[in-house]
Amino acid sequence: MHTEDTEEFLLPRSRLANERLHAMIPGGAHTYAKGDDQYPENLAPVISHGRGAHVWDIDGNRYIEYGSGLRSVSLGHAHPRVIEAVRRELDRGSNFVRPSIVEVEAAERFLATVPTAEMVKFAKNGSDVTTAAVRLARAVTGRPRVAICGDHPFFSVDDWFIGTTPMSAGIPAATTELTVAFPYGDLAATEELLTRYQDEVACLILEPAGHTEPPPGYLAGLRELADRHGCVLIFDEMITGLRWSEAGAQGLYGVVPDLSTFGKALGNGFAVSALAGRRELMERGGLRHSRDRVFLLSTTHGAETHSLAAAMAVQTTYVEEGVTARLHALGERLAAGVRDAAAGMGVGDHIVVRGRASNLVFATLDENRQPSQPYRTLFLRRLLAGGVLAPSFVVSSALDDADIDRTVDVVAQACAVYRKALDAADPTPWLAGRPVKPVFRRLA
């Protein structure tokens, strides 16, 4: 049971477990976005288990969970169809000295789901495949520079991207200088960049869509720019893949990139990602050509049978059960409810829901309508106390209408406190500790 009073909502077992995590694991988590610095002080639940749209912490609290597994568990935890497919493979062996027949089946399933791609190679996480795409682009163009969309938050753990963030320690400046940035939605600025670095840019890499829809003609314009300047167009579909359509944003908007990368929702929590694209480019990482070989992807665990089985089950479930449409319907119900609750409490200009319905985030703005980590902390504290674990409002298809309605009730209660803090022009009395922190920052 959760109390309405956050001062009585304590997580003693989770607090001790977090100390144990920090003693052995740098950052106390294996993903910075899961760190306890992303949550109010002493209110970072350590998870015991999850089922469907709910998770339980080791203190015995149950939460309605959003942003499941950093957007990877879009069907809900322990989804029966996925678990059944995984179990079928576990007794048959997971990794062999030669390819498994499952690799054939998984590639066929993927290419049937994403027909804009001609070849695919699987790996374990998104950084594997985005870096492989960049390496391949550099190889086929003979050019050194990578142009990233500067408005998108993350592409890879590798140096070509992390060197551009505030957490650039350990990365040579010479590496970072080869990465340049272009703004989303601005074709003129992108053309100016490509002209400035004429014949130097190997690729344009971006998420095809983010919190706003692509401007009319934008993606087609990028396609034309890439062709005219001889660079490779790469769509990072880690988030948009499956959530925008079964075939990703490229399937929804009808613009075909040279290469694209998928992950997150692809495995419903199991470790699988994919690099896909045109045969002419992809085969440069293969054996059936006479040019210099590209070390594209070669990972010991890239084709574990159970992860590929999970991916096939996910894709089949999405297509047969209309999951993408369900995600949008759930997200629309949630967004409308949160906006109404915020407006009803007089904070509609301060708690702002953004993004496509299948991929909602929220902004917490202060009395000057500027993004505020202290106000985010206040909001998260109230959500946690009400049994809602929501670093974002990204939905899974396991949610039901009752979950959404309960979430909106808790949001309304949080908004009432938010209004008090705004009236006081100071959220500090409601924080009970340090504010949450941004993931990318120079100092710990």
Side-chain angles (χ1 to χ4, degrees):
M1 291 292 293
H2 291 275
T3 172
E4 296 302 319
D5 184 355
T6 53
E7 300 313 312
E8 296 178 17
F9 176 51
L10 304 172
L11 302 175
R13 292 181 179 175
S14 291
R15 185 173 180 179
L16 288 173
N18 276 311
E19 289 302 313
R20 291 165 62 194
L21 285 163
H22 278 283
M24 297 177 287
I25 299 165
H30 286 90
T31 314
Y32 283 117
K34 295 184 182 183
D36 58 2
D37 60 334
Q38 302 300 293
Y39 291 84
E41 192 165 4
N42 299 323
L43 289 186
V46 174
I47 304 302
S48 163
H49 63 288
R51 184 163 298 277
H54 299 104
V55 295
W56 287 257
D57 68 23
I58 60 174
D59 290 281
N61 299 297
R62 186 181 80 158
Y63 304 88
I64 304 168
E65 189 199 41
Y66 293 89
S68 317
L70 305 182
R71 296 180 172 86
S72 67
V73 188
S74 62
L75 299 177
H77 300 290
H79 186 274
R81 197 164 183 173
V82 177
I83 295 301
E84 180 186 357
V86 168
R87 283 196 177 120
R88 276 200 304 268
E89 296 302 327
L90 290 178
D91 288 336
R92 295 160 52 86
S94 61
N95 209 338
F96 312 109
V97 76
R98 279 280 295 148
S100 160
I101 190 64
V102 176
E103 295 174 51
V104 178
E105 297 164 352
E108 289 173 342
R109 173 77 264 187
F110 182 91
L111 295 173
T113 307
V114 187
T116 40
E118 295 174 325
M119 298 187 84
V120 63
K121 196 154 190 181
F122 296 110
K124 302 311 286 181
N125 61 70
S127 295
D128 289 344
V129 290
T130 53
T131 291
V134 165
R135 184 186 303 120
L136 183 55
R138 282 171 159 162
V140 299
T141 62
R143 299 174 178 181
R145 294 191 188 274
V146 177
I148 64 171
C149 182
D151 298 309
H152 295 158
F154 189 81
F155 290 104
S156 174
V157 300
D158 293 300
D159 289 2
W160 63 270
F161 172 69
I162 293 297
T164 70
T165 75
M167 293 177 71
S168 60
I171 299 172
T175 298
T176 303
E177 287 164 6
L178 292 176
T179 300
V180 294
F182 62 93
Y184 188 80
D186 190 336
L187 289 173
T190 305
E191 178 151 37
E192 192 278 327
L193 181 78
L194 292 171
T195 302
R196 187 189 330 154
Y197 297 108
Q198 187 71 40
D199 299 328
E200 293 182 31
V201 175
C203 60
L204 301 170
I205 182 168
L206 73 157
E207 296 178 45
H211 299 322
T212 58
E213 286 292 288
Y218 173 63
L219 295 178
L222 273 186
R223 174 72 278 173
E224 190 275 330
L225 270 182
D227 290 340
R228 184 148 47 86
H229 286 267
C231 56
V232 174
L233 181 62
I234 304 170
F235 283 176
D236 178 342
E237 298 243 33
M238 290 298 144
I239 293 172
T240 54
L242 295 166
R243 282 191 179 273
W244 262 240
S245 81
E246 290 88 354
Q250 59 194 281
L252 180 65
Y253 301 123
V255 175
V256 181
D258 298 301
L259 300 171
S260 55
T261 58
F262 289 74
K264 293 195 182 291
L266 184 59
N268 202 55
F270 286 92
V272 60
S273 61
L275 169 65
R278 289 170 43 209
R279 182 177 302 278
E280 178 187 355
L281 274 65
M282 294 286 287
E283 190 60 81
R284 287 290 298 274
L287 302 175
R288 298 187 173 183
H289 66 92
S290 57
R291 307 184 70 173
D292 288 349
R293 295 182 67 195
V294 178
F295 195 91
L296 186 59
L297 278 168
S298 182
T299 57
T300 299
H301 302 290
E304 282 178 330
T305 57
H306 58 272
S307 291
L308 295 184
M312 286 188 279
V314 167
Q315 290 165 97
T316 300
T317 302
Y318 261 80
V319 172
E320 292 185 0
E321 299 183 11
V323 171
T324 303
R326 175 166 174 76
L327 292 174
H328 283 90
L330 287 165
E332 285 164 5
R333 183 184 181 101
L334 176 63
V338 170
R339 287 169 181 146
D340 286 349
M345 293 293 174
V347 296
D349 293 333
H350 300 273
I351 294 176
V352 182
V353 180
R354 296 172 175 159
R356 193 172 183 85
S358 60
N359 187 55
L360 296 171
V361 297
F362 58 83
T364 51
L365 309 182
D366 64 16
E367 53 274 7
N368 299 314
R369 298 182 187 177
Q370 296 300 306
S372 167
Q373 295 294 94
Y375 278 98
R376 178 175 173 86
T377 309
L378 177 157
F379 191 56
L380 289 175
R381 281 184 63 83
R382 302 304 303 195
L383 294 185
L384 286 163
V388 176
L389 179 57
S392 69
F393 281 145
V394 176
V395 296
S396 78
S397 66
L399 291 158
D400 59 25
D401 289 348
D403 292 322
I404 301 293
D405 293 345
R406 170 61 184 161
T407 301
V408 171
D409 287 344
V410 173
V411 167
Q413 296 164 21
C415 289
V417 178
Y418 207 106
R419 183 67 259 171
K420 293 178 184 177
L422 287 170
D423 291 341
D426 180 13
T428 307
W430 290 273
L431 300 190
R434 53 107 184 105
V436 299
K437 300 179 181 180
V439 169
F440 286 116
R441 57 185 192 273
R442 190 170 66 87
L443 300 176

